Amino acid sequence: EAQVTQNPRYLITVTGKKLTVTCSQNMNHEYMSWYRQDPGLGLRQIYYSMNVEVTDKGDVPEGYKVSRKEKRNFPLILESPSPNQTSLYFCASRFQGPRQPQHFGDGTRLSIL
Amino acid sequence: EDQVTQSPEALRLQEGESSSLNCSYTVSGLRGLFWYRQDPGKGPEFLFTLYSAGEEKEKERLKATLTKKESFLHITAPKPEDSATYLCAVQDPRRDDKIIFGKGTRLHILP
């Protein structure tokens, strides 16, 4: 089954404790992206990757890191999480090119205390 | 600034009561408009891509249409299982990597 898989689905942690949210897709998509979704603000792009070893900042990259060492994986790293990073996070992937729809994972709900 | 605005923010309908959701956009040179459905606790699920004015796409009780400045998602004789948040998004005309999302319309169908 074609899918984008995120782990963990839920995480409660404390300020400053490094964490990684994994994302994996099995559709051979070149493009992958991370979003955060907050009430009243909608979906905002954090980072994206056009292909292996190619990453770039989205609209709200502060406090986040990513890497793309393999085509299928695109982890999101919070080196020193803070409470303002409490949010619902989505990973998405698609084929390269215009008008290609994105396929989303089921989300990771992060709570930073 | 390129924007995508969805209205209404929320809509409650009786089962079988048809209606339309609106998505207006200000990007020039539209390269693609997308509709997604998002259920609580889930990621957005792709519904349609529209590209040119006059284009229409249908899926079960949903039909999406596109004009030069807006798109409509028409829901015909909805059922409670159509309850969800519907998101509209447009391809940024200057960047292949970016999609601009609206904030969504929360649709609730009462049985």
Side-chain angles (χ1 to χ4, degrees):
Chain A
E1 181 190 351
Q3 58 186 1
V4 178
T5 304
Q6 295 179 227
N7 280 297
R9 293 290 316 278
Y10 305 91
L11 179 63
I12 302 173
T13 187
V14 295
T15 298
K17 185 177 181 182
K18 181 180 178 180
L19 67 91
T20 300
V21 184
T22 64
C23 174
S24 180
Q25 51 94 4
N26 63 0
M27 294 168 279
N28 203 34
H29 288 162
E30 296 91 2
Y31 176 95
M32 297 185 75
S33 183
W34 277 102
Y35 295 86
R36 62 180 288 174
Q37 188 175 41
D38 301 288
L41 297 176
L43 280 162
R44 294 180 292 167
Q45 191 182 50
I46 303 170
Y47 267 95
Y48 65 93
S49 171
M50 304 283 268
N51 215 323
V52 176
E53 301 291 2
V54 181
T55 63
D56 209 343
K57 297 177 181 178
D59 297 317
V60 287
E62 295 78 21
Y64 305 95
K65 285 176 58 178
V66 293
S67 69
R68 187 94 181 273
K69 294 185 172 62
E70 303 165 288
K71 196 172 188 178
R72 62 183 294 128
N73 295 324
F74 190 44
L76 179 69
I77 302 157
L78 284 70
E79 294 268 3
S80 183
S82 62
N84 64 10
Q85 293 177 297
T86 292
S87 187
L88 180 58
Y89 291 85
F90 291 102
C91 179
S93 71
R94 63 172 171 84
F95 288 114
Q96 203 63 282
R99 302 193 298 280
Q100 295 296 323
Q102 293 191 87
H103 300 261
F104 286 82
D106 277 341
T108 295
R109 186 166 291 283
L110 280 183
S111 293
I112 315 294
L113 304 177
Chain B
E1 180 183 339
D2 296 326
Q3 284 195 333
V4 178
T5 304
Q6 292 188 244
S7 62
E9 288 187 16
L11 181 62
R12 293 166 69 91
L13 300 171
Q14 290 294 137
E15 182 172 2
E17 182 184 0
S18 300
S19 188
S20 298
L21 313 183
N22 178 262
C23 171
S24 64
Y25 57 91
T26 59
V27 298
S28 57
L30 184 69
R31 297 176 66 195
L33 183 142
F34 308 91
W35 281 99
Y36 291 85
R37 169 192 170 127
Q38 185 175 20
D39 293 298
K42 296 279 192 178
E45 176 188 348
F46 171 70
L47 293 173
F48 305 110
T49 304
L50 300 169
Y51 173 58
S52 55
E55 190 175 1
E56 297 183 354
K57 295 270 180 77
E58 283 190 71
K59 180 180 180 180
E60 297 181 358
R61 294 175 292 282
L62 300 176
K63 183 169 81 171
T65 61
L66 182 65
T67 71
K68 286 188 177 180
K69 287 299 179 188
E70 58 190 350
S71 177
F72 292 93
L73 185 64
H74 306 278
I75 302 175
T76 303
K79 299 181 177 181
E81 54 262 41
D82 294 321
S83 298
T85 295
Y86 290 85
L87 299 171
C88 173
V90 300
Q91 178 86 50
D92 189 309
R94 291 171 296 278
R95 293 171 52 182
D96 274 347
D97 59 275
K98 187 168 182 178
I99 307 292
I100 306 168
F101 280 89
K103 294 179 181 178
T105 293
R106 295 189 309 279
L107 177 65
H108 187 52
I109 309 299
L110 301 165

